[in-house]
Amino acid sequence: MGGQQTRGSDPAAEVYREAAALGAAAYAILLQIAHPRVGRGVRDHSDFAQRPVDRLRGTLVFVYGLVFGTREEAERVAGVVRKAHTHVAGPGYSAQDPDLQVWVAATLYACNMHVHELVFGPMAPEDKDAVYETASVFATSLGCPRERWPATRAEFERYWAGMVASIEVDDTARAITADLFHPANPVVRALVRVQRFLASGLLPAHVRDGFGLQWGPVQQRRFDRLVAVVRAVYPRLPLAVRTLPRDFYLRDMRRRFARTDAGDSRTGRRARFRMTARRR
């Protein structure tokens, strides 16, 4: 490891294919809900804190489907998400708000890039530009006008720095996080403890403090040791192992689409039969 990564054939695919990106899951979620209007929308319209595994599956299918799916699959995934967000609105917030769409998409890009470079080292600037260009689809697939996504990576970095600096974690975000980090399922609870630790180490200090996540020299040393081990071991794993989550969730997405299509086909045949029977 060490040094700058060499240019690959598809930098975006190289970032989003990696299982290491899962280390950014809680990190991205906490930044999302730290935005007060996103937090209120999650509080009023989502049960993801009680069903974190389902929420993670939905997010991964969204990312993998858009980056690795066929054009038809990407459009279908985007359509499912937009439909689910149609009625997400309340006092002072709406899932149709481009500002919120940009923020959610920004966390998916920035948090994944942060973790990727922690593990693999800095990317070449031209590769980072390519990854950034691909990331615009996370916003536009939510319904955001393309022009609302910062036009260049430099513009994005100014936007990101300003947004992160302005975060003031409120009671709504803290309540959601308390539920998220205390799931009933003991197996999920163990996984969530890992995510809590990773998020605590990755979040900016003022955001971490706002969530009430304890952190000090001992935790920082443990985090640094963990990152050092991951840097040394993870890139040497076979690619087939490192892409297992992507491959699993793409297969799962395609199976679900196939079942839906088969059900629609059967329903259509039954409807046609009933119409024919009536005419007789």
Side-chain angles (χ1 to χ4, degrees):
M1 286 234 357
Q4 196 173 73
Q5 295 179 62
T6 57
R7 184 170 178 83
S9 57
D10 185 347
E14 291 179 6
V15 170
Y16 293 109
R17 74 187 179 188
E18 297 290 343
L22 297 179
Y27 171 38
I29 288 172
L30 264 59
L31 283 173
Q32 288 172 18
I33 64 173
H35 192 301
R37 285 182 283 156
V38 175
R40 288 197 293 272
V42 169
R43 177 197 63 193
D44 296 345
H45 297 275
S46 175
D47 62 352
F48 89 86
Q50 289 75 42
R51 302 171 60 196
V53 174
D54 289 341
R55 166 61 188 254
L56 179 62
R57 181 186 66 79
T59 299
L60 292 177
V61 168
F62 179 70
V63 172
Y64 295 146
L66 293 179
V67 177
F68 299 102
T70 65
R71 181 183 297 275
E72 179 183 345
E73 288 169 342
E75 291 174 351
R76 190 165 182 176
V77 165
V80 168
V81 172
R82 286 196 299 270
K83 183 177 180 180
H85 288 171
T86 300
H87 303 295
V88 178
Y93 69 86
S94 169
Q96 312 305 316
D97 184 342
D99 288 342
L100 304 189
Q101 293 167 341
V102 168
W103 175 241
V104 170
T107 65
L108 295 178
Y109 162 72
C111 295
N112 274 284
M113 281 298 302
H114 186 182
V115 169
H116 186 84
E117 292 193 307
L118 273 180
V119 174
F120 290 96
M123 293 188 78
E126 61 270 26
D127 284 357
K128 293 180 77 168
D129 288 340
V131 178
Y132 178 70
E133 179 62 28
T134 297
S136 65
V137 74
F138 299 144
T140 57
S141 293
L142 294 173
C144 181
R146 178 64 178 81
E147 62 270 17
R148 296 296 293 271
W149 183 252
T152 66
R153 185 163 58 87
E155 289 182 25
F156 176 86
E157 288 174 356
R158 288 192 292 272
Y159 160 81
W160 180 255
M163 289 294 294
V164 171
S166 71
I167 287 175
E168 295 182 7
V169 181
D170 63 12
D171 290 341
T172 296
R174 281 188 287 270
I176 295 169
T177 303
D179 289 341
L180 176 65
F181 287 150
H182 295 87
N185 187 311
V187 176
V188 176
R189 199 179 308 140
L191 297 174
V192 165
R193 277 199 294 268
V194 175
Q195 282 290 329
R196 177 183 179 129
F197 178 72
L198 292 174
S200 298
L202 292 166
L203 285 168
H206 74 285
V207 180
R208 179 175 61 224
D209 293 344
F211 277 110
L213 300 171
Q214 294 184 350
W215 199 256
V218 172
Q219 289 88 348
Q220 188 63 53
R221 286 194 295 272
R222 290 173 180 168
F223 181 81
D224 292 341
R225 285 197 296 268
L226 175 61
V227 170
V229 170
V230 172
R231 281 175 172 168
V233 174
Y234 179 85
R236 293 175 171 81
L237 295 175
L239 182 60
V241 173
R242 296 180 357 229
T243 59
L244 275 174
R246 179 200 65 178
D247 299 339
F248 171 82
Y249 282 106
L250 283 175
R251 285 196 299 270
D252 179 63
M253 175 192 76
R254 287 163 180 154
R255 281 196 298 266
R256 288 170 184 267
F257 283 165
R259 286 199 297 269
T260 299
D261 292 342
D264 290 346
S265 176
R266 287 194 296 271
T267 300
R269 287 198 297 270
R270 287 196 295 269
R272 287 194 296 273
F273 175 79
R274 285 196 296 270
M275 291 173 67
T276 303
R278 288 193 193 101
R279 284 197 295 269
R280 290 176 182 173

